[in-house]
Amino acid sequence: NAGVTQTPKFRILKIGQSMTLQCAQDMNHNYMYWYRQDPGMGLKLIYYSVGAGITDKGEVPNGYNVSRSTTEDFPLRLELAAPSQTSVYFCASSNPLGPLYEQYFGPGTRLTVT
Amino acid sequence: SQELEQSPQSLIVQEGKNLTINCTSSKTLYGLYWYKQKYGEGLIFLMMLQKGGEEKSHEKITAKLDEKKQQSSLHITASQPSHAGIYLCGADLSGGGADGLTFGKGTHLIIQP
C-alpha cells in the first residue's frame, strides 16, 4: 500500500493563479480530510469528506473548493491564490470502523504564493 | 482562544534525560491522538487514547489521558536523538468522529548530545 499520496510536493504560485492539490489513498478509507499548517501553528481543517459525493467545510474553508467523485481521490482547488494561502497542506484519511480510528497523513504539499 | 493548548512550545533536553509534553483542553477529549512530525515531513501516528485514565506505551514513549478526559501527557524516557522533532496532539472534540481533529500548536523537541 502506498497509503496517502499528495502531489505536487512543492509549488510556487503567483497571486491570482489557480491550482489543484491532488490527494489519493489506496486504503479504501471513507473519510478524507484537508488541513493546512502555518509556521508555528497546529493543523487547521479546511474541508472533509465522509464518502464519495459528500463534502463539508472545516474551520478555514474560504478560498478553497473540494470534490469527492471517488473513494480514492480528494483534490483541493485553490482559486485566485492569495499570499495568505502560503502554507503546508496535508491530506489525511481514516477508517471510522477501524480499531483505532487513526488518521493517516500524506507527506504534504508546500505552497508559496507570491 | 486555542481549543487545545500544548506546553511547552519548545524543549531542549540533554540526551538520556526524561521529558514530558502536555496537552490541555477546556472541552471533553473524545479521542486524543499524539503525532510526531519531522521537520518538512508528514505526521507519524504515535498513540491514541479514548478512555479516562487510559495509559499506553510504545518503546520509550508513554501517553496518558486523565480521568476527566481534558488533559493528556506524553512522556519520553531516556531521550535519544531519534526523538527530536515536533510533537502534535490532536483531539476529537465533537464526539462525532467524522469531522476531523483539532490540533495543538506543537512542541518542538531538540535533543542535545
Side-chain angles (χ1 to χ4, degrees):
Chain A
N1 282 354
V4 180
T5 57
Q6 290 183 240
T7 56
K9 286 189 177 180
F10 304 94
R11 184 73 186 267
I12 299 173
L13 277 183
K14 293 187 177 178
I15 294 171
Q17 286 185 320
S18 300
M19 78 164 292
T20 299
L21 281 67
Q22 301 292 344
C23 174
Q25 53 91 9
D26 60 359
M27 297 173 282
N28 203 31
H29 287 170
N30 284 328
Y31 293 3
M32 294 188 75
Y33 311 84
W34 274 106
Y35 294 90
R36 59 176 285 173
Q37 184 180 33
D38 299 327
M41 303 293 288
L43 281 72
K44 291 192 182 294
L45 185 66
I46 305 171
Y47 270 97
Y48 65 97
S49 168
V50 299
I54 306 169
T55 62
D56 213 339
K57 295 178 180 179
E59 184 182 356
V60 290
N62 291 345
Y64 307 94
N65 276 303
V66 293
S67 59
R68 184 97 181 269
S69 56
T70 66
T71 299
E72 294 78 20
D73 300 298
F74 190 40
L76 178 72
R77 177 86 179 158
L78 277 72
E79 305 282 0
L80 299 174
S84 61
Q85 293 178 305
T86 294
S87 190
V88 181
Y89 291 84
F90 289 101
C91 179
S93 72
S94 68
N95 173 13
L97 300 179
L100 285 179
Y101 182 39
E102 173 188 343
Q103 287 201 9
Y104 294 80
F105 282 81
T109 294
R110 190 173 295 271
L111 176 68
T112 301
V113 182
T114 61
Chain B
S1 63
Q2 189 79 6
E3 288 187 299
L4 211 57
E5 294 283 346
Q6 251 186 272
S7 63
Q9 281 189 312
S10 61
L11 194 53
I12 301 173
V13 173
Q14 197 169 15
E15 184 177 351
K17 298 293 185 183
N18 303 337
L19 62 106
T20 299
I21 299 168
N22 294 300
C23 182
T24 304
S25 173
S26 57
K27 299 181 179 180
T28 298
L29 301 169
Y30 291 97
L32 192 286
Y33 301 73
W34 283 101
Y35 288 89
K36 179 185 174 185
Q37 183 181 26
K38 290 201 169 181
Y39 297 101
E41 297 182 14
L43 280 67
I44 300 167
F45 173 77
L46 296 175
M47 275 172 272
M48 179 215 174
L49 305 165
Q50 273 187 310
K51 299 175 185 175
E54 188 175 9
E55 180 176 322
K56 288 185 178 177
S57 293
H58 178 66
E59 296 180 344
K60 295 186 177 182
I61 300 176
T62 300
K64 300 178 186 179
L65 182 62
D66 74 337
E67 290 287 346
K68 287 186 178 180
K69 293 175 61 175
Q70 287 187 303
Q71 185 170 0
S72 178
S73 61
L74 187 81
H75 185 77
I76 298 177
T77 304
S79 58
Q80 300 169 343
S82 60
H83 290 131
I86 303 170
Y87 288 81
L88 291 157
C89 63
D92 173 6
L93 298 177
S94 67
D99 50 356
L101 301 178
T102 297
F103 283 87
K105 291 185 179 181
T107 295
H108 292 244
L109 175 62
I110 297 171
I111 307 294
Q112 277 186 336

